[in-house]
Amino acid sequence: MTTVLVVEDDGALRRALGLSLRSRGIEVLDVATGEQALNVAADGRADLIVLDLGLPDMDGVDVLKRLRSFTTVPVIVLTARDRQADKVRVLDAGADDYVTKPFDPEELLARIRAALRRSPDAETGPVVVRVGDLEIDLSRRRITRDDEPVHLTRTELQLLELLVRNPEKLLTQEYLLREVWGAGYGTETNYLRVYIGQLRKKLGDDATNPRLIVTEPGIGYRWIAE
Ligand code: CA
């Protein structure tokens, strides 16, 4: 059974979330403060944490940073702040995803399912992804479209690998730049635009109607292929 820790000071929203999760067979632990969240998370029962950013006792980002000092369970942040800088800040502080309030409970459930599907050992296991006529074999670094090999540069392959190994996870521009280009990078978002554009072209994806890579403007990219 999956256990989700819900951290939300708004009682009505906390109860509504609890009901909707329990109706899907998810066990729910719920708390209203950052301090309680850290205490409950520390006992290790939660498989995933839904964390509201606006808490009465602590800043949600500080709660997140402290959570990340002892746990790697997925954290989905609920935020009323729709400023992009805040979204980037929570993702860089270790959140797996965020949902902006007000939100559709179905959207949150979909994000929860996606975060739980990403297994902790996904980084090492062989990954073969098939989407329509496209086949991506990451262990052999072989990509084919309609059985014809697709030739990717090393940079394109690294980007693709990061995206495919983190399905449905929003990866920030800063994260991708640091991972692919190195520690000194983080603001060269024009590099990313160029390389993601090439990748889309070679894989046959369409930025305006994507089936593989979605752009979250000003924030990052998400691999959406099932
Ligand atoms: Ca709140």
Side-chain angles (χ1 to χ4, degrees):
M1 194 175 197
T2 301
T3 303
V4 170
L5 168 59
V6 173
V7 187
E8 169 60 73
D9 61 312
D10 177 338
L13 180 55
R14 192 172 65 244
R15 279 187 293 278
L17 276 177
L19 278 176
S20 103
L21 294 174
R22 286 188 186 100
S23 75
R24 311 299 167 102
I26 294 173
E27 190 182 339
V28 178
L29 307 167
D30 55 1
V31 299
T33 68
E35 204 56 51
Q36 291 169 334
L38 292 165
N39 287 336
V40 174
D43 77 16
R45 283 170 60 207
D47 301 304
L48 180 142
I49 299 169
V50 174
L51 174 67
D52 179 33
L53 268 200
L55 294 170
D57 61 331
M58 290 171 72
D59 183 89
V61 175
D62 292 332
V63 177
L64 179 59
K65 286 179 181 161
R66 284 174 59 180
L67 284 171
R68 279 293 170 251
S69 69
F70 65 86
T71 180
T72 57
V73 300
V75 176
I76 297 176
V77 165
L78 300 180
T79 173
R81 312 168 191 183
D82 57 358
R83 285 175 42 215
Q84 291 189 345
D86 287 327
K87 292 172 181 172
V88 170
R89 211 159 67 94
V90 299
L91 292 167
D92 277 349
D96 289 75
D97 212 337
Y98 65 81
V99 175
T100 306
K101 291 179 181 177
F103 56 87
D104 175 358
E106 289 302 322
E107 187 194 350
L108 178 63
L109 280 160
R111 297 290 174 83
I112 288 175
R113 279 194 294 268
L116 289 171
R117 264 202 306 274
R118 293 190 287 267
S119 68
D121 56 359
E123 302 220 345
T124 51
V127 177
V128 179
V129 175
R130 287 182 193 86
V131 191
D133 61 358
L134 181 69
E135 184 175 303
I136 300 167
D137 182 341
L138 287 182
S139 55
R140 293 159 63 203
R141 309 209 142 176
R142 190 164 178 276
I143 291 105
T144 56
R145 251 179 96 183
D146 214 4
D147 293 325
E148 292 294 316
V150 176
H151 299 289
L152 298 185
T153 65
R154 190 165 163 272
T155 302
E156 290 163 356
L157 190 62
Q158 279 180 289
L159 272 177
L160 179 64
E161 190 159 350
L162 285 169
L163 288 162
V164 171
R165 288 199 191 277
N166 293 283
E168 294 178 62
K169 179 169 179 174
L170 176 52
L171 303 178
T172 64
Q173 295 170 341
E174 290 79 1
Y175 171 81
L176 291 168
L177 284 163
R178 280 197 309 267
E179 288 293 315
V180 176
W181 279 270
Y185 292 81
T187 57
E188 294 78 357
T189 54
N190 54 321
Y191 292 12
L192 269 179
R193 261 198 304 279
V194 169
Y195 279 90
I196 293 280
Q198 285 171 357
L199 203 47
R200 279 193 170 118
K201 203 163 142 194
K202 290 184 182 179
L203 300 179
D205 200 19
D206 175 1
T208 57
N209 185 23
R211 61 184 184 122
L212 302 177
I213 303 167
V214 166
T215 305
E216 303 263 355
I219 299 175
Y221 299 91
R222 193 194 291 274
W223 180 259
I224 55 160
E226 281 296 322

